Amino acid sequence: KNEVEQSPQNLTAQEGEFITINCSYSVGISALHWLQQHPGGGIVSLFMLSSGKKKHGRLIATINIQEKHSSLHITASHPRDSAVYICAGYQGGSEKLVFGKGTKLTVNP
Amino acid sequence: SQTIHQWPATLVQPVGSPLSLECTVEGTSNPNLYWYRQAAGRGLQLLFYSVGIGQISSEVPQNLSASRPQDRQFILSSKKLLLSDSGFYLCALLMLNTEAFFGQGTRLTVV
């Protein structure tokens, strides 16, 4: 069982739609990263959070520590948001990042 | 601020040839460094990590090795590439405050 589980695996939306990507993680993970990977492969860090909520532009990330669950929301989605979004958990004990399998988002105009 | 330089961005190598991917870091000292691989259609898998010079931990048995000859340099190598070594290789830096930084990645195709 993967320590970080993401859903959905694939997501297609129309421009302007509100998008939610979910991430569940196991015990031992003390912080969550949300990453964006474009078709060329390069990865950009969007958020790192260990509690509460963070917002950057149209992106919002939330985390519920008790439920071990995090969500990434995109408001007013745009075709340029099309990418793979990856959730990664930081294991404090082992000092490692454990990655989810990613969610491929396609936003159609 | 911290940056990671990883090269090359793409690489096509024949089966049986050697491999050397280099990752260098700027803006921090004594970082934790990681090599990940992403096979086609799959998530990122940890290959090696290093907490200091000469200190390498291997996560999965494979045809690859890693070295850390300097504090800010992390190298992924192979003596003889296999077809199954094809994939996307990513170098990562993890800070003490758990911030993460990533190289641009290397897309390796073994032919």
Side-chain angles (χ1 to χ4, degrees), chain A:
Chain A
K1 181 181 180 297
N2 200 25
E3 291 154 293
V4 175
E5 298 280 355
Q6 268 185 258
S7 63
Q9 189 174 353
N10 291 283
L11 182 57
T12 300
Q14 288 301 119
E15 185 173 356
E17 286 184 2
F18 181 83
I19 288 164
T20 296
I21 300 171
N22 296 299
C23 177
S24 297
Y25 57 92
S26 61
V27 173
I29 287 176
S30 58
L32 247 290
H33 293 258
W34 280 103
L35 312 169
Q36 183 188 55
Q37 184 177 30
H38 281 281
I43 288 182
V44 174
S45 180
L46 299 174
F47 297 103
M48 181 196 70
L49 64 166
S50 53
S51 65
K53 176 180 174 179
K54 288 189 176 180
K55 184 176 188 293
H56 182 68
R58 295 180 293 106
L59 300 178
I60 303 167
T62 63
I63 189 168
N64 184 317
I65 297 169
Q66 286 72 31
E67 295 184 3
K68 296 183 181 56
H69 181 269
S70 177
S71 294
L72 176 68
H73 306 285
I74 304 176
T75 61
S77 60
H78 190 276
R80 64 174 175 265
D81 296 326
S82 298
V84 175
Y85 292 84
I86 302 171
C87 170
Y90 173 73
Q91 290 180 325
S94 63
E95 297 183 60
K96 298 175 193 173
L97 270 182
V98 179
F99 288 81
K101 293 184 179 179
T103 296
K104 184 176 181 181
L105 171 65
T106 303
V107 182
N108 295 317

Side-chain angles (χ1 to χ4, degrees), chain A residues 9 30-33 35 37-45 48 84 86 88 90-91 94-102, chain B residues 32 34 36 38 41-46 49 51 59 88 90 92-105 107:
Chain A
Q9 189 174 353
S30 58
L32 247 290
H33 293 258
L35 312 169
Q37 184 177 30
H38 281 281
I43 288 182
V44 174
S45 180
M48 181 196 70
V84 175
I86 302 171
Y90 173 73
Q91 290 180 325
S94 63
E95 297 183 60
K96 298 175 193 173
L97 270 182
V98 179
F99 288 81
K101 293 184 179 179
Chain B
N32 284 3
Y34 305 79
Y36 288 88
Q38 185 179 43
R42 305 186 68 177
L44 284 153
Q45 180 186 35
L46 180 62
Y49 69 98
V51 299
E59 285 296 293
F88 181 75
L90 186 71
L93 156 68
L94 212 57
M95 304 293 291
L96 286 176
N97 65 357
T98 77
E99 269 192 280
F101 300 87
F102 301 91
Q104 66 171 351
R107 191 161 300 281

